[in-house]
Structure formats: structure tokens, C-alpha cells
């Protein structure tokens, strides 16, 4: 068998071998639907390679052998294309397996008819050899089954196009790009085949350009599959994963230009018109210097940034992850944006709750200490004094001389018991129930003055009440009585002997202002801060009177529960002024 190579045959043989090698390599290298496009490429390479050999021989017997080998590819190329379309699009019609089997029936029958054509002439009626310059080319008179196979192949290609187009007509850009490439790979050769069938473009009046176009498009397609993972699920899945990430993702190259971003990044408050591929990050973050410095540094780092979005402050955690390669230290960055506003709010709430629980725990420990010391000491002291008097170890005159001191101690114990009972009630589940009622604050002030006046007289203190308020108050009367009694008791405790305590009331819009002022030791700035924060503390009075620190905590709590507020003004060595604001009655 003599081979005479020419430009047509040489082109087909070389490109056929290349496409065939690519298709075999792809079949072993990749999985899934891409293997079926590789089989389609292999069919085209078989067709082109043996057509090239056909164009390089001169004898009729050799030409007929190569024609029969060509139809290994020609018969099955349409079937493999349709199967690829079904698998790639995950289209599963009813009786899917049976359909796949039936698709291969016509190609198998076609190839059998080609091999046995001499006995029936259903595929070719006749084959004659003509000379076209230096080429010996088969001139074929087609038979009925040739037309059946041609229509069948075109039908399979058309069905494949429709399935792919229908599946991905509303898909994202990556799917659409791959779909266009696939359709082009199929349409381009079929156009040349139509030119051949209708004798529009036929070089040397007999050469079919269809295998040339198939090999050309599939050669490009094969390299695209290997280099860019064309038709692979990995880049598509990558896009879907990026879109599904709730964090904002920004991809920046080594020149600080935007390469890609996901929809969640736009929640960062940047408009879609401003964010564009290839623009510099400086154009976006020109007002966020901390973020810009983080990105341009190009190293792994994490910061928190406070940004205004739609007039509201939001907190973001921004993290940079460098993309490194072997040739340079920086090849780009992945920048992650996470809205941590709610997280910071929760953390702050937990922090505040932890602090409150710690304060309550400290207060609880302190109150148990109070019960075991401040209550136990005076009560056991009186018990011992009575026992000593009954046993005759303390004379009656001595007992009578101790009674004023005992009385003072019991006054403190009584106030302490009131405070402890009130605090215990406030700590029960649900806390104390506030029962507001309408009353005159001046009656409470007079009542508490009479209760505490005996203690005040012992320090020669004068309590002056200057009533100016005309309005009635709406609040829980018992709570307000306890609050006023504690403040007045503290004023007596820290006043100097021979001094005075001024109590005044004033109407101020929706509140009645009650001020209790003394001119005693005053309160340090440190303790003033503790009062504002609701933290208990104790100090010794002017005559070394002891305290528990419980009273002012209850005062602040009770005033707030009754929709009021409290102010404290003090200067060490000059005195203290407590001002309480309580809501007036709405019935007035």
C-alpha cells in the first residue's frame, strides 16, 4: 500500500492524532460527563485520521478500507454527543437507561451496513475513484441508509443543543459561557457538513471539510478542558460556594486591584456601581484608612472597623489571607468581611450580666456577713447584758445607764432588719411588685423625721423641712419611706455634732424633687462612682457609727423601680446633697 502525502492528508493525519491523544488522555484524567465529550472528540479524530489516510492512497481497495474505518467515528459521533448532553445537564427522562441503549442502535446498525454494503448497497449504491490533480478520491453515490444516518446524526446533535440550551438558559454566567463553547464546538463542524452536503463549499469538488472543522474545534476544546477545567464541576462549585458564604469575600491581586467578590460583600455598604472588577481598592476604601492599610500591607492580619451604613453604626471584623506562590511573596489577598455588630452587642450584654452577677454575689456574701456580725453582735450583747443583770453581776443602776447606748444600737438593728427584708424581697423570683399610689411626700418626710429625731437629738442635730412642692406623688409608698429613711439616717450618721440637715421639696415639670442635704464628712469621688453604679460600700460615721452599705443600694433600686431618678452631690469635708425625682400623680 503506497502513501502519497499531500497538504490535506497531512493536516488531517497530524490533527487527528493530536485530538485522539487528547481525547484518550482526558478520558483517563477526568470523570463524569467530560469523558463523553472526550469520546465525541475521539470519534472526530478517527474520522479525520482515516480520511487523511484515504486522501493519501490511490488504490480503490485501500480507499474502501479507510472509508470503513472512518465510519467507526462517523457512525457514533452524534450518539456520543447526545449522551454527553444528557449526562452534563443531569437530564433524566423516563426510561433513561433504555433511551441510552436505543440511541446506540442506529449507529451500530449503520456501521454493520457500511461493512456489508457490497451485498445490499443500502449505504452506497456505488463507489468510483476519480483523479483530482495528484489525489485519487472516492466518488460516492449515496444509498437510502446514508440519508437515514445523516438525518439521525443531525437529529441527535439538535436534541443535544436543545437540552443544553434549555437546562442553562437561566443559569449564571459561568454555565452560559461553557454552554456557548459547547454549542460552538458542535455547530461549527455541522455548518461545514451542510456546505458539503449541498455542494456549496467543496475543495477540488470532492473534499469534505467537515472532519477538518471537527478536528480544529475539538483541538481547541481539548486544551481548554485540560488547562481551564472546562465542563468540570469544580469551578462551578467554587462559584456557588463563594456565593453561599455569608461573609463578604473580596479577592485582590498583587497590584491591589479587585479580581472578584461575592454578593455578601455588597452588604458592607458599598454600591454595586462603585465595586467593579480591576479597579483599585483605594477607590473603594479611601474613607476607611484602617481597612486600606490592612489590605495594602499584604500580610495575614485581622482588625475590627466601625462603619456607618444607612445612618447606623455597624462593626465589622476584616481578615486578610495572603495568596502566596513560589516566585513572589505576594500574589494577591483574600479579604473576608464579617458583620459582628450583633455579636459585639451580645458580648457586651454578657459582660454586663457577668459584672452584675459578680456584684450581686459580692453583695450576697456581704449581707450574710452583716447577718452574722451586725445583727448577731448587738442581739447577743443585749442577751448577755440581761443575763449579767439577772445574775447580779451588773447592778440595776449600771443597767439603766447602759440603756441609751442599747437603744441606739437597737435603732440601727431595726433599720438594718428593714433593709435586709426589703433586699430579700427584691431578690426573690420576679422581684418585688411595685404598688403605686397617690400620696403627699411631706407626710412621709415628717413621719421619718419623728422616727429619727431622737437619734438626731443625741448629736444635737436640727432637721429642717422646707416644703414647697404642691403636687402629690404616684409611687409605692413603702419603698419611698424606706428610701427616705435610709438617706436621712445617713445624713445624721455623717453630720457633725451641733449641725443641721435641710430637707426641701420642689415641683419640676412632671416630677417632685426632694433634696436632703447635710454638712458633714462628704463622700469621696470613688464612693460617688460606686453609688452611681449601684455598688455597696461602708464608711464610719462622725462618731464611729458603723454601717452596712446596704441602704444606698436599696435607695437607688427603689427609686428606679418607681420611674424616678436620684442625684448625689458631695464634697469631702463640706457635706452631701441627695436629690430624688419622683413622678407626680396624673390625677391632678
Amino acid at each position: 500500500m503506497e502513501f502519497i502525502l499531500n497538504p490535506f492528508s497531512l493536516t488531517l493525519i497530524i490533527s487527528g492524532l493530536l485530538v485522539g491523544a487528547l481525547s484518550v488522555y482526558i478520558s483517563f484524567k477526568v470523570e463524569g460527563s467530560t469523558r463523553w465529550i472526550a469520546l465525541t472528540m475521539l470519534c472526530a479524530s478517527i474520522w479525520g485520521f482515516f480520511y487523511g489516510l484515504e486522501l493519501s492512497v490511490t488504490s480503490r481497495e485501500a480507499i474502501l478500507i479507510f472509508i470503513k474505518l472512518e465510519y467507526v467515528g462517523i457512525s457514533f459521533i452524534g450518539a456520543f454527543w447526545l449522551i454527553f448532553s444528557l449526562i452534563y445537564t443531569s437530564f433524566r427522562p423516563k426510561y433513561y437507561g433504555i433511551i441510552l441503549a436505543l440511541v446506540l442502535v442506529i449507529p451500530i446498525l449503520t456501521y454493520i451496513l457500511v461493512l456489508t454494503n457490497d451485498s445490499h448497497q443500502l449505504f452506497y449504491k456505488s463507489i468510483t475513484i476519480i483523479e483530482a490533480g495528484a489525489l485519487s478520491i472516492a466518488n460516492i453515490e449515496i444509498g437510502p441508509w446514508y440519508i437515514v444516518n445523516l438525518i439521525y446524526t443531525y437529529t441527535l446533535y439538535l436534541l443535544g443543543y436543545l437540552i443544553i440550551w434549555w437546562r442553562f438558559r437561566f443559569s449564571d454566567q459561568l454555565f452560559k459561557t461553557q454552554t456557548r463553547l459547547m454549542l460552538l464546538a458542535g455547530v461549527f463542524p455541522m455548518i461545514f457538513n451542510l456546505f458539503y452536503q449541498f455542494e456549496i463549499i467543496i475543495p477540488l469538488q470532492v473534499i469534505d471539510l467537515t472532519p477538518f472543522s471537527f478536528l480544529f474545534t475539538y483541538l481547541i476544546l481539548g486544551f481548554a478542558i485540560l488547562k481551564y477545567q472546562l465542563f468540570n464541576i469544580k469551578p462551578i462549585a467554587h462559584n456557588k460556594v463563594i456565593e453561599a458564604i455569608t461573609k463578604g469575600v473580596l479577592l485582590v491581586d498583587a497590584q491591589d486591584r479587585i479580581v472578584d467578590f461575592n454578593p455578601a460583600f455588597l452588604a458592607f455598604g458599598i454600591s454595586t456601581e462603585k465595586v467593579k472588577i480591576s479597579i483599585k481598592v483605594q477607590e473603594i476604601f479611601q474613607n476607611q484608612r484602617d481597612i486600606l492599610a490592612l489590605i495594602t500591607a499584604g500580610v495575614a492580619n485581622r482588625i475590627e472597623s466601625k462603619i456607618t451604613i444607612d445612618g447606623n453604626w455597624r462593626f465589622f471584623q476584616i481578615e486578610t489571607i495572603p495568596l502566596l506562590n513560589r516566585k513572589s511573596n505576594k500574589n494577591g489577598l483574600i479579604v473576608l468581611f464579617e458583620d459582628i455588630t450583633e455579636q459585639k452587642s451580645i458580648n457586651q450584654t454578657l459582660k454586663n450580666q457577668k459584672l452584675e452577677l459578680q456584684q450581686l454575689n459580692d453583695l450576697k456574701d456581704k449581707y450574710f456577713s452583716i447577718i452574722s456580725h451586725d445583727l448577731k453582735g448587738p442581739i447577743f450583747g443585749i442577751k448577755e447584758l440581761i443575763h449579767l443583770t439577772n445574775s447580779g453581776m451588773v447592778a440595776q443602776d449600771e443597767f439603766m445607764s447602759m440603756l441609751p447606748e442599747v437603744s441606739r444600737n437597737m435603732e440601727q438593728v431595726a433599720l438594718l432588719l428593714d433593709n435586709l427584708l426589703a433586699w430579700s424581697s427584691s431578690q426573690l423570683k420576679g422581684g418585688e411588685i411595685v404598688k403605686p399610689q397617690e400620696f403627699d411626700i411631706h407626710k412621709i418626710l415628717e413621719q421619718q423625721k419623728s422616727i429619727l429625731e431622737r437619734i438626731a437629738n443625741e448629736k444635737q442635730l436640727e432637721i429642717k423641712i422646707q416644703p414647697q412642692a404642691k403636687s402629690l406623688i404616684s409611687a409605692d409608698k413603702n419603698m419611698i419611706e424606706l428610701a427616705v429613711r435610709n438617706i436621712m439616717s445617713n445624713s445624721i450618721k455623717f453630720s457633725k455634732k451641733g449641725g443641721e440637715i435641710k430637707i426641701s421639696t420642689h415641683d419640676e415639670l412632671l416630677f417632685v424633687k426632694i433634696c436632703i442635704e447635710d454638712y458633714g464628712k462628704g463622700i469621696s469621688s470613688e464612693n460617688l462612682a460606686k453609688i452611681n453604679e449601684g455598688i455597696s460600700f461602708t464608711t464610719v460615721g462622725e462618731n464611729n457609727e458603723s454601717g452596712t452599705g446596704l441602704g444606698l443600694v436599696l435607695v437607688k433600686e427603689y427609686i428606679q423601680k418607681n420611674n424616678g431618678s436620684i442625684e448625689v452631690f458631695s464634697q469631702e469635708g463640706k457635706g452631701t446633697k441627695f436629690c430624688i425625682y419622683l413622678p407626680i400623680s396624673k390625677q391632678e
Side-chain angles (χ1 to χ4, degrees):
M1 187 181 296
E2 184 181 1
F3 291 93
I4 303 173
L5 296 177
N6 55 74
F8 292 102
S9 64
L10 193 61
T11 301
L12 286 171
I13 291 169
I14 293 173
S15 57
L17 288 172
L18 282 174
V19 174
L22 273 175
S23 62
V24 172
Y25 180 76
I26 291 169
S27 296
F28 287 99
K29 185 73 174 177
V30 300
E31 297 178 355
S33 60
T34 312
R35 283 183 173 175
W36 289 95
I37 195 70
L39 287 175
T40 308
M41 292 169 55
L42 183 62
C43 288
S45 69
I46 292 172
W47 181 3
F49 176 76
F50 287 111
Y51 187 46
L53 292 178
E54 177 193 336
L55 296 178
S56 65
V57 296
T58 56
S59 68
R60 187 176 187 278
E61 292 76 10
I63 291 174
L64 290 176
I65 290 172
F66 291 133
I67 288 175
K68 291 176 181 179
L69 291 174
E70 287 170 37
Y71 268 88
V72 173
I74 296 172
S75 301
F76 291 92
I77 193 168
F80 288 157
W81 169 261
L82 179 63
I83 293 171
F84 163 73
S85 303
L86 291 171
I87 295 175
Y88 180 68
T89 58
S90 299
F91 181 62
R92 293 290 185 272
K94 193 174 181 181
Y95 307 117
Y96 176 71
I98 297 175
I99 290 173
L100 290 183
L102 291 175
V103 165
L104 296 172
V105 169
I106 297 296
I108 293 171
L109 184 57
T110 296
Y111 192 62
I112 292 172
L113 291 175
V114 170
L115 293 176
T116 59
N117 188 72
D118 291 341
S119 61
H120 49 69
Q121 284 81 42
L122 289 175
F123 204 85
Y124 297 133
K125 289 184 178 178
S126 65
I127 297 178
T128 58
I129 306 301
I130 62 173
E131 301 294 329
L135 300 177
S136 298
I137 301 172
N139 184 27
I140 299 173
E141 183 182 356
I142 62 174
W145 194 261
Y146 182 96
I147 298 172
V148 171
N149 179 68
L150 185 67
I151 294 173
Y152 183 71
T153 302
Y154 272 96
T155 302
L156 294 183
Y157 262 95
L158 181 60
L159 284 174
Y161 297 153
L162 290 174
I163 291 169
I164 293 171
W165 173 80
W166 182 263
R167 172 64 179 83
F168 299 124
R169 68 192 190 284
F170 300 124
S171 62
D172 57 35
Q173 190 58 44
L174 184 59
F175 274 111
K176 286 181 179 178
T177 301
Q178 293 192 169
T179 301
R180 294 189 189 106
L181 287 171
M182 281 186 291
L183 296 180
L184 181 63
V187 170
F188 184 69
M190 298 312 292
I191 290 173
F192 275 89
N193 188 260
L194 286 172
F195 288 163
Y196 174 74
Q197 299 297 335
F198 290 99
E199 300 181 355
I200 298 173
I201 300 177
I202 304 178
L204 303 179
Q205 297 183 344
V206 288
I207 292 179
D208 185 359
L209 291 179
T210 307
F212 289 90
S213 59
F214 263 121
L215 291 174
F216 175 74
T217 54
Y218 283 152
L219 192 64
I220 296 173
L221 198 63
F223 281 112
I225 290 171
L226 293 177
K227 185 170 180 60
Y228 301 107
Q229 294 183 316
L230 197 66
F231 313 135
N232 199 327
I233 193 65
K234 288 174 68 177
I236 299 168
H238 168 78
N239 266 23
K240 291 300 181 183
V241 169
I242 290 297
E243 289 178 7
I245 293 175
T246 55
K247 290 184 180 180
V249 179
L250 180 68
L251 186 61
V252 180
D253 66 10
Q255 285 74 45
D256 297 329
R257 294 173 302 192
I258 293 177
V259 177
D260 200 2
F261 59 91
N262 70 339
F265 171 70
L266 300 176
F268 187 63
I270 301 171
S271 66
T272 52
E273 297 177 358
K274 194 173 181 181
V275 182
K276 294 180 181 178
I277 303 300
S278 80
I279 69 169
K280 291 272 191 177
V281 292
Q282 286 82 353
E283 296 182 37
I284 298 178
F285 300 110
Q286 56 185 343
N287 296 326
Q288 286 89 39
R289 298 294 179 183
D290 55 342
I291 300 174
L292 191 57
L294 176 71
I295 295 174
T296 53
V299 296
N301 202 355
R302 182 184 298 171
I303 65 169
E304 288 185 9
S305 184
K306 189 178 180 183
I307 308 295
T308 304
I309 299 177
D310 298 331
N312 298 317
W313 285 106
R314 307 289 297 179
F315 291 91
F316 285 86
Q317 179 176 275
I318 300 127
E319 181 179 3
T320 50
I321 304 172
L323 297 173
L324 304 177
N325 61 16
R326 297 177 182 177
K327 297 181 180 179
S328 64
N329 292 328
K330 179 182 176 184
N331 194 34
L333 282 175
I334 297 174
V335 189
L336 302 178
F337 296 82
E338 183 179 8
D339 190 336
I340 58 171
T341 307
E342 299 301 326
Q343 180 183 333
K344 285 186 73 69
S345 176
I346 292 171
N347 289 344
Q348 186 60 45
T349 301
L350 291 174
K351 185 178 178 181
N352 293 339
Q353 289 176 346
K354 180 182 177 182
L355 183 61
E356 290 174 4
L357 287 172
Q358 184 61 47
Q359 290 175 356
L360 285 172
N361 193 53
D362 293 343
L363 200 59
K364 176 202 70 176
D365 294 340
K366 186 171 185 178
Y367 294 162
F368 282 122
S369 175
I370 291 169
I371 293 171
S372 64
H373 181 270
D374 293 81
L375 281 178
K376 180 181 177 181
I379 292 174
F380 273 74
I382 293 172
K383 175 190 173 189
E384 188 64 22
L385 179 60
I386 293 172
H387 172 71
L388 292 174
T389 303
N390 286 336
S391 63
M393 295 180 69
V394 174
Q396 188 173 358
D397 292 341
E398 289 178 306
F399 177 77
M400 296 301 294
S401 66
M402 294 178 185
L403 276 180
E405 182 65 25
V406 172
S407 178
R408 280 194 300 272
N409 287 339
M410 295 311 294
E411 290 285 352
Q412 294 297 326
V413 169
L415 182 58
L416 175 57
L417 278 173
D418 273 348
N419 288 340
L420 282 173
L421 290 171
W423 176 80
S424 299
S425 297
S426 68
Q427 301 308 303
L428 293 174
K429 187 176 181 180
E432 285 182 286
I433 299 174
V434 179
K435 300 176 181 178
Q437 63 184 95
E438 183 183 87
F439 60 88
D440 186 350
I441 188 63
H442 301 112
K443 291 182 178 179
I444 288 180
L445 294 174
E446 291 291 347
Q447 177 190 22
Q448 297 307 314
K449 175 185 175 183
S450 64
I451 292 174
L452 299 171
E453 199 161 26
R454 185 178 58 78
I455 301 174
N457 290 338
E458 289 181 0
K459 294 184 72 170
Q460 299 176 6
L461 294 174
E462 183 180 3
I463 300 175
K464 296 180 180 179
I465 297 177
Q466 300 171 342
Q468 296 182 23
K470 306 295 184 184
S471 303
L472 298 177
I473 286 173
S474 177
D476 189 301
K477 189 175 180 182
N478 293 330
M479 290 185 177
I480 301 306
E481 285 178 352
L482 185 64
V484 169
R485 183 158 67 251
N486 271 289
I487 295 175
M488 290 177 65
S489 176
N490 274 352
S491 294
I492 295 170
K493 175 181 174 181
F494 293 106
S495 291
K496 297 177 181 178
K497 189 174 182 179
E500 66 176 4
I501 296 172
K502 291 182 180 179
I503 302 174
S504 61
T505 63
H506 303 274
D507 287 320
E508 290 198 1
L509 297 177
L510 301 176
F511 296 90
V512 171
K513 179 181 179 182
I514 306 108
C515 291
I516 302 173
E517 184 176 9
D518 65 66
Y519 303 92
K521 291 178 64 172
I523 303 172
S524 67
S525 57
E526 180 183 352
N527 287 337
L528 276 175
K530 289 181 179 180
I531 292 174
N532 292 328
E533 294 175 12
I535 301 173
S536 69
F537 63 94
T538 60
T539 52
V540 179
E542 282 289 340
N543 291 344
N544 293 320
E545 298 99 327
S546 63
T548 64
L550 180 59
L552 290 181
V553 174
L554 282 170
V555 168
K556 183 177 178 65
E557 182 179 340
Y558 278 5
I559 296 301
Q560 289 177 344
K561 282 184 175 181
N562 284 277
N563 300 316
S565 60
I566 184 169
E567 294 177 341
V568 186
F569 308 93
S570 186
Q571 189 173 354
E572 288 189 87
K574 293 188 177 181
T576 303
K577 183 177 182 179
F578 284 85
C579 290
I580 299 171
Y581 295 84
L582 293 172
I584 64 172
S585 173
K586 294 181 181 179
Q587 296 179 6
E588 291 190 79

